[in-house]
């Protein structure tokens, strides 16, 4: 259980950092969430896909241990967009 908590916090902080840097460089707000949903999520599902079992069985093999860190990473991407938006509203032009 401790490893799950550490992994979730790690993914949250990692996606926040990557998202914050991407938002600063590309001058976008929600780009990291789009990248996460369109590229990273399908890539994670595809890498664990097993051709020998059915479509439904592939998705039911994911447990809460697999899903909770993904939710943490998505939350980190959202918080990075929220932080950039708050900084821009606060008058910081460099963000």
């Amino acid at each position: 259980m401790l490893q799950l908590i550490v992994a979730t916090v790690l993914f949250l902080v990692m996606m926040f950092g990557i998202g914050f840097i991407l938002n600063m460089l590309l001058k976008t707000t929600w780009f990291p969430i789009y990248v996460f949903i369109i590229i990273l999520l399908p890539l994670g599902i595809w890498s664990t896909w097993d051709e020998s079992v059915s479509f439904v069985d592939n998705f039911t093999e994911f447990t809460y241990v697999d899903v909770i860190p993904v939710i943490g990473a998505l939350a980190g991407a959202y918080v990075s967009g929220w932080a950039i938006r708050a900084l821009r509203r606060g008058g910081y032009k460099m963000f």
Side-chain angles (χ1 to χ4, degrees):
M1 195 62 163
L2 181 63
Q3 293 170 344
L4 178 63
I5 294 168
V6 169
T8 304
V9 171
L10 179 69
F11 283 128
L12 187 138
V13 170
M14 190 170 54
M15 276 304 293
F16 175 80
I18 292 170
F20 195 84
I21 291 169
L22 280 175
N23 284 330
M24 281 194 315
L25 293 176
L26 299 176
K27 302 285 186 188
T28 63
T29 302
W30 303 112
F31 181 70
I33 290 179
Y34 300 141
V35 168
F36 185 82
I37 292 173
I38 294 171
I39 296 174
L40 294 178
L41 200 59
L43 189 63
I45 292 171
W46 177 73
S47 66
T48 61
W49 199 261
D50 187 10
E51 296 290 332
S52 63
V53 296
S54 70
F55 181 81
V56 174
D57 289 338
N58 273 313
F59 282 106
T60 56
E61 288 181 7
F62 291 115
T63 62
Y64 71 94
V65 175
D66 300 322
V67 174
I68 290 177
V70 171
I71 292 171
L74 186 60
Y78 174 76
V79 171
S80 72
W82 180 82
I84 288 290
R85 189 177 70 186
L87 287 169
R88 286 186 187 138
R89 285 185 181 168
Y92 293 96
K93 299 291 182 197
M94 65 186 300
F95 299 112

